Amino acid sequence: MTLRAAVLGHPISHSKSPALHRAAYAHLGVDIAYSAIDVTEAALPDFMRQVRDEVRADGSWRGLSVTMPLKSAMVAEVDEVRGVGRVLGVVNTVAFESDGGSAGHTRLVAYNTDVAGIVNALRHAGAASAPTAVILGGGGTAAAAVAALKELGAVSAAVFVRDVSRAAEARAAADAVGVPVRVLPLAGAAAAVAAADVVISTLPPRAADALAGELAEELEANPSSALPAHGSPGVLLDVAYDPWPSRIAAVWQEAGGTVVPGLEMLIYQAVEQVRHFTGLGEALPAGVTDVMCDAVGAPRRVF
């Protein structure tokens, strides 16, 4: 029997998750067919009822990758949330875990692997800590960014959003993990962004273009006072990876800063998902990371 897994979100046609997962399962010799399924937040409950019916019928489902706008809504659709996902109330991974009985006793267990994805991507780029930190955006991925900054030692963060009344997920994450945040309007964020050691942009593609223009002007007008103490821009992780480079990434790199493409985060979080979907956990061979990098044209690396 061919097993099934999928990435859910809206829109979803741009997702590179199918390429990553298919490469991993082919390398492992595991017969899991991985697809992309467009699901809106309103349609999620009906979709998950259908999934549960299929689980009871044949037990073929092994996992769901969850992207925007479903990361908070999925919490209500599973049997259990584990790890940091439970703390944040935001998940991006659902594993189908048997309790040892029949397919009808399979439990849907949710996790958040975005946090590990962000932490590992930043550390791979040389960001061992985050003394001063900025997050752009206030949704589900921003919540994971708050938790990631906590792991990197940040004692506080500034969260810049397009609408300060719509940052509930980032605020809740900050309260949950104990990282005080200031939620501020995105307009006028350039000076704080330029001076930060770590910047994580969770904004959709092109949503940071106006800020990029302001940032370029800030760096040109105040080339020394605008920067962190070490004299050059810090590390920018832009989770948007299409189109690439984003305008803000191009400005950052031109100023001498380190840019981490969102593809890096995607790879690291997907590796954690493969651990859950295959049941291999820490026994997952290191070579899987290499073939996943190959699948999306990223440099190879070892965890």
Side-chain angles (χ1 to χ4, degrees):
M1 177 179 63
T2 298
L3 304 175
R4 288 186 288 174
V7 58
L8 313 180
H10 177 75
I12 202 63
S13 61
H14 67 286
S15 176
K16 294 187 184 296
S17 291
L20 291 169
H21 281 261
R22 289 168 185 167
Y25 303 136
H27 179 77
L28 292 168
V30 177
D31 191 12
I32 297 180
Y34 189 100
S35 60
I37 304 176
D38 195 299
V39 180
T40 65
E41 188 171 355
L44 183 63
D46 285 342
F47 177 84
M48 293 304 294
R49 277 192 287 273
Q50 178 184 336
V51 167
R52 286 184 181 274
D53 289 343
E54 292 168 354
V55 168
R56 285 191 289 268
D58 59 22
S60 61
W61 279 101
R62 284 295 178 268
L64 298 171
S65 306
V66 183
T67 188
M68 298 306 291
L70 309 177
K71 293 184 178 184
S72 295
M74 184 59 82
V75 171
E77 305 299 331
V78 299
D79 299 310
E80 182 182 355
V81 180
R82 293 181 187 161
V84 69
R86 182 176 63 251
V87 176
L88 298 178
V90 178
V91 300
N92 74 317
T93 304
V94 178
F96 295 74
E97 301 182 7
S98 173
D99 64 0
S102 66
H105 293 92
T106 298
R107 290 175 56 78
L108 277 61
V109 182
Y111 301 87
N112 188 310
T113 68
D114 279 339
V115 176
I118 293 170
V119 169
N120 288 329
L122 287 171
R123 284 179 173 164
H124 180 67
S129 63
T132 58
V134 164
I135 298 170
L136 306 178
T141 307
V146 171
L149 289 173
K150 170 75 171 182
E151 194 166 329
L152 290 169
V155 296
S156 65
V159 177
F160 291 94
V161 294
R162 290 173 289 181
D163 181 350
V164 294
S165 68
R166 301 183 64 186
E169 289 162 312
R171 292 181 192 271
D175 291 341
V177 303
V179 174
V181 299
R182 291 175 296 128
V183 178
L184 302 164
L186 187 62
V193 170
D197 293 291
V198 172
V199 177
I200 303 173
S201 175
T202 68
L203 295 170
R206 300 184 178 85
D209 284 1
L211 173 60
E214 295 170 7
L215 180 62
E217 293 174 1
E218 177 73 21
L219 292 170
E220 183 178 357
N222 304 291
S224 57
S225 61
L227 298 171
H230 46 72
S232 62
V235 179
L236 166 70
L237 166 60
D238 187 352
V239 304
Y241 54 82
D242 185 19
W244 190 261
S246 62
R247 188 178 177 195
I248 193 170
V251 168
W252 196 264
Q253 192 163 35
E254 186 175 343
T258 299
V259 171
V260 184
L263 197 56
E264 293 286 312
M265 171 194 167
L266 189 69
I267 290 167
Y268 282 114
Q269 64 83 29
V271 170
E272 299 304 312
Q273 291 181 336
V274 171
R275 295 185 197 277
H276 288 297
F277 296 173
T278 61
L280 289 171
E282 294 304 314
L284 190 73
V288 171
T289 307
D290 290 338
V291 299
M292 293 172 80
C293 290
D294 293 345
V296 292
R300 290 187 169 194
R301 83 290 319 276
V302 176
F303 277 99

